Amino acid sequence: MASLLEEILESVEMWLKLIKKPQPYVDPTLDPVLLVPGIAGSILKAVDDENGKEERVWVRILAADYKCRTKLWSRFDPTTGRTVSLDQKTSLVVPEDRHGLYAIDVLDPDMIIGRECVYYFHDMIVEMINWGFQEGKTLFGFGYDFRQSNRLQETLDRFSAKLESIYNASGGKKINVISHSMGGLLVKCFMSLHADVFEKYVKNWIAIAAPFQGAPGYVASTFLNGMSFVEGWEQNFFISKWSMHQLLIECPSVYELMACLDFDWEHIPLLEVWREKLVDGNSHVVLESYSPIESVEIFEKALTSNTVNHEGEIIPLPFNLEILKWANETRKILSRAKVPSQVKFFNIYGTSLDTPHSVCFIELLYLCSYGNGQTPVKDLQELRYFQPTYICVDGDGTVPVESAKADGLNAEARIGIPGEHRGILCDHHVFRILKHWLKADHDPFYNPLNDYVILPTAFEVESHKEKGLQVTSLKEEWEIISEDTDGQDDVATKKPLVSSITVSQNGGNNQFSSRAEARATIVLHPQNDGKQHVELNAVSVSVDA
């Protein structure tokens, strides 16, 4: 008798857990989703053109710096607009495993300790699978060579083919495109140049943390000092900032992230340098400020003698004016983009973090004396070895809010979420918003309660014998309390959810064995004012023959 009631309670407990965290399932009604990463957000493999041998060169921890210098360092070809590896025997490809998701999931699958530092869309992919999306059916990824321009025709052709293949694989369902960071510029370029194809295949475009008007502080320091893809102890085993600097100086994609020149900034992003000047024969230290267009001259002078040694050959890598010219044309294309009438556009941007806006250079040794004029920059070519300081604005640590919000498009919604540029991809508030926009929250097993408490409000058990029958009844009630009531329907329009459980035990062939049966009814009432009432009524009957 007691064991049957225990089974009832265990079943109810499991049922309540399902309310909070449903098991993964496949929802055939969902529209397909395509995830598009930003800069450095795709696995790249180097393919030896002679023997076809492949090896992952981005991202990797072991021998990362060496592989970057030998396989990823590149030169821009102005006749094609393409960046080509210095190693002429190597081609870079993006793996298409798992329908494109492998390349944008965990960027170094071999890494075990500290693996979270190389997560990209991993958490979002896991979350969407729990919502009912299925890899290769309704969930896809688009990795690309992020060194290239966002309007490189080769990349746009691949993107067009990807949209068409997803559309056909889903039986003619239009696609939800979710882009992150620079991926938003790639999507916007495609939408501007191929609006008819975009409208044919795309239902919604959701841009997350997109630098629509550039990332001025981030890019200015990148041109002069490089950048780190990972932070913390892991960067000691990763690509050095200098190697990254030499890679990115020939990447059109980085030039396309410079501050937009014709955007009406609230405060113009500046490059500031303490310099020593001779006035009337006397030495003076002054703070010089350069606007985005004036900064080009500083980049040119600072990188005049920049070179790399590739297999014994000294190759000059100055600030590339040919790439800048190409990037300026890209920005014109971006400025002409419009959302097609049949497509809805949504914008999520990061807030609440200090984000570089203007950059100031003084000597590293005297950072504590910033602004006192005692440590001027005497030679602009030395800027590469100086530590920058920043004037910061609100943003996600990389892209200012002002830039991310200024998409220049007809948006259905723009929502700011406190979060870090890459970390926002695993933010649960973002997941909740995406689930709503993707219409993935209609699953009857899904309960949007994030944190809840179950409080017993009533407990009653009664047992008695009646004409050879042992009857036991149980009644319990709980209140499930949650702070999150967003998205709940009007209580008056909803009915209680009623479920039943039956457990029986047969006597078998032995006529003297006992027989027992227990039945329970669970009633889940609609949520009201952050509370949800649950009732359990159970009766157990046993017969002793």
Side-chain angles (χ1 to χ4, degrees):
M1 178 68 66
S3 63
L4 291 179
L5 287 178
E6 287 178 4
E7 290 184 40
I8 291 287
L9 292 174
E10 289 175 0
S11 298
V12 172
E13 182 181 5
M14 183 178 296
W15 187 73
L16 289 174
K17 288 181 178 179
L18 286 176
I19 293 177
K20 181 183 180 185
K21 187 177 181 181
Q23 296 299 312
Y25 73 106
V26 175
D27 187 344
T29 67
L30 294 174
D31 293 323
V33 168
L34 175 61
L35 304 176
V36 182
I39 191 167
S42 305
I43 287 178
L44 297 180
K45 288 186 176 181
V47 181
D48 190 310
D49 294 337
E50 293 182 350
N51 56 30
K53 181 181 178 181
E54 292 186 358
E55 61 176 333
R56 178 164 40 82
V57 293
W58 182 275
V59 168
R60 58 185 294 159
I61 296 296
L62 298 177
D65 199 69
Y66 173 74
K67 292 299 181 182
C68 173
R69 289 183 277 114
T70 56
K71 302 296 183 181
L72 291 177
W73 277 358
S74 316
R75 291 303 302 268
F76 176 74
D77 183 351
T79 62
T80 63
R82 198 171 189 275
T83 286
V84 183
S85 297
L86 293 179
D87 182 355
Q88 298 180 1
K89 299 178 182 179
T90 295
S91 300
L92 291 186
V93 299
V94 180
E96 289 292 338
D97 311 57
R98 292 173 49 204
H99 309 280
L101 292 170
Y102 170 81
I104 63 173
D105 188 341
V106 181
L107 298 184
D108 185 354
D110 296 334
M111 191 173 179
I112 299 177
I113 300 175
R115 201 171 192 231
E116 292 81 3
C117 77
V118 289
Y119 277 2
Y120 204 92
F121 274 114
H122 176 76
D123 289 321
M124 187 176 292
I125 291 171
V126 171
E127 193 76 14
M128 287 185 170
I129 289 174
N130 287 335
W131 298 346
F133 288 95
Q134 185 180 13
E135 293 187 8
K137 297 293 185 181
T138 50
L139 188 57
F140 303 82
F142 181 76
Y144 56 95
D145 184 352
F146 50 81
R147 301 174 306 164
Q148 310 294 344
S149 167
N150 289 291
R151 64 179 175 95
L152 184 69
Q153 193 58 47
E154 178 183 324
T155 304
L156 299 185
D157 288 344
R158 287 186 57 243
F159 190 73
S160 178
K162 189 76 174 185
L163 291 177
E164 183 179 7
S165 66
I166 296 173
Y167 181 81
N168 293 334
S170 63
K173 287 186 176 181
K174 286 195 172 185
I175 303 158
N176 296 291
V177 176
I178 300 178
S179 63
H180 175 249
S181 189
M182 192 183 75
L185 300 188
L186 188 153
V187 174
K188 193 177 182 183
C189 274
F190 184 87
M191 186 175 70
S192 178
L193 295 171
H194 304 282
D196 54 338
V197 179
F198 196 79
E199 185 171 28
K200 179 179 179 180
Y201 295 125
V202 176
K203 179 179 182 180
N204 299 310
W205 170 29
I206 303 171
I208 302 177
F212 285 112
Q213 301 302 330
Y218 176 83
V219 171
S221 60
T222 294
F223 277 135
L224 296 171
N225 297 103
M227 54 86 78
S228 295
F229 181 72
V230 300
E231 302 296 336
W233 64 268
E234 293 92 346
Q235 64 181 310
N236 296 320
F237 304 94
F238 199 59
I239 298 172
S240 68
K241 289 187 69 175
W242 178 81
S243 294
M244 283 293 291
H245 174 250
Q246 307 299 66
L247 167 65
L248 298 177
I249 205 69
E250 285 290 306
C251 293
S253 57
V254 175
Y255 288 71
E256 291 167 355
L257 294 174
M258 295 174 69
C260 187
L261 300 180
D262 56 2
F263 178 62
D264 186 18
W265 295 92
E266 182 177 356
H267 301 287
I268 297 176
L270 299 174
L271 174 62
E272 298 182 329
V273 184
W274 284 102
R275 300 195 67 186
E276 187 176 22
K277 293 285 188 179
L278 288 177
V279 180
D280 297 329
N282 297 316
S283 177
H284 294 271
V285 176
V286 297
L287 179 63
E288 296 183 345
S289 297
Y290 304 92
S291 67
I293 192 168
E294 295 169 336
S295 298
V296 171
E297 182 180 353
I298 303 301
F299 295 145
E300 282 188 89
K301 292 180 178 179
L303 299 174
T304 297
S305 60
N306 186 48
T307 62
V308 295
N309 186 329
H310 181 72
E311 297 185 348
E313 180 184 0
I314 303 301
I315 300 175
L317 286 183
F319 183 80
N320 197 316
L321 294 179
E322 290 288 350
I323 299 181
L324 180 62
K325 180 180 178 181
W326 178 278
N328 287 337
E329 183 61 31
T330 300
R331 279 192 281 269
K332 292 179 182 178
I333 292 172
L334 289 169
S335 68
R336 297 195 296 262
K338 296 184 182 300
V339 180
S341 59
Q342 300 301 312
V343 180
K344 293 183 177 180
F345 169 69
F346 304 84
N347 185 348
I348 296 176
Y349 56 90
T351 70
S352 305
L353 291 180
D354 287 340
T355 303
H357 183 69
S358 294
V359 183
C360 181
F361 282 92
I362 57 177
E363 288 202 42
L364 178 62
L365 182 62
Y366 298 101
L367 277 178
C368 59
S369 61
Y370 169 75
N372 63 11
Q374 296 179 2
T375 56
V377 175
K378 298 180 181 179
D379 185 350
L380 288 176
Q381 294 187 39
E382 296 176 358
L383 283 178
R384 291 175 292 163
Y385 311 109
F386 286 7
Q387 178 70 31
T389 58
Y390 302 103
I391 297 173
C392 294
V393 295
D394 187 29
D396 60 19
T398 299
V399 181
V401 165
E402 186 179 11
S403 172
K405 287 179 64 177
D407 47 66
L409 302 172
N410 182 21
E412 299 293 319
R414 296 183 183 91
I415 299 179
I417 303 295
E420 187 268 335
H421 185 66
R422 189 151 54 103
I424 201 170
L425 292 179
C426 58
D427 184 274
H428 287 279
H429 193 183
V430 171
F431 291 161
R432 186 175 184 83
I433 295 171
L434 291 179
K435 191 170 188 179
H436 175 70
W437 286 346
L438 297 175
K439 300 188 183 304
D441 53 3
H442 57 276
D443 171 25
F445 293 100
Y446 171 71
N447 189 318
L449 305 177
N450 291 327
D451 298 305
Y452 67 78
V453 179
I454 299 179
L455 298 178
T457 57
F459 177 83
E460 181 181 330
V461 61
E462 179 182 346
S463 181
H464 65 275
K465 287 187 176 182
E466 181 179 328
K467 297 181 180 180
L469 302 178
Q470 179 71 35
V471 180
T472 302
S473 62
L474 171 70
K475 179 179 180 180
E476 289 197 31
E477 296 182 17
W478 303 276
E479 292 286 355
I480 302 179
I481 302 177
S482 169
E483 296 181 356
D484 191 349
T485 59
D486 292 345
Q488 294 297 318
D489 295 333
D490 188 349
V491 175
T493 65
K494 296 189 67 176
K495 297 181 179 180
L497 177 63
V498 181
S499 296
S500 298
I501 299 175
T502 300
V503 180
S504 61
Q505 176 181 308
N506 295 323
N509 296 327
N510 187 344
Q511 61 176 333
F512 298 104
S513 63
S514 62
R515 300 188 304 276
E517 182 175 292
R519 296 181 180 179
T521 300
I522 306 99
V523 182
L524 179 66
H525 293 275
Q527 184 170 327
N528 186 19
D529 294 331
K531 296 182 179 180
Q532 198 158 34
H533 191 70
V534 179
E535 299 177 9
L536 168 67
N537 293 284
V539 177
S540 177
V541 179
S542 63
V543 179
D544 293 327

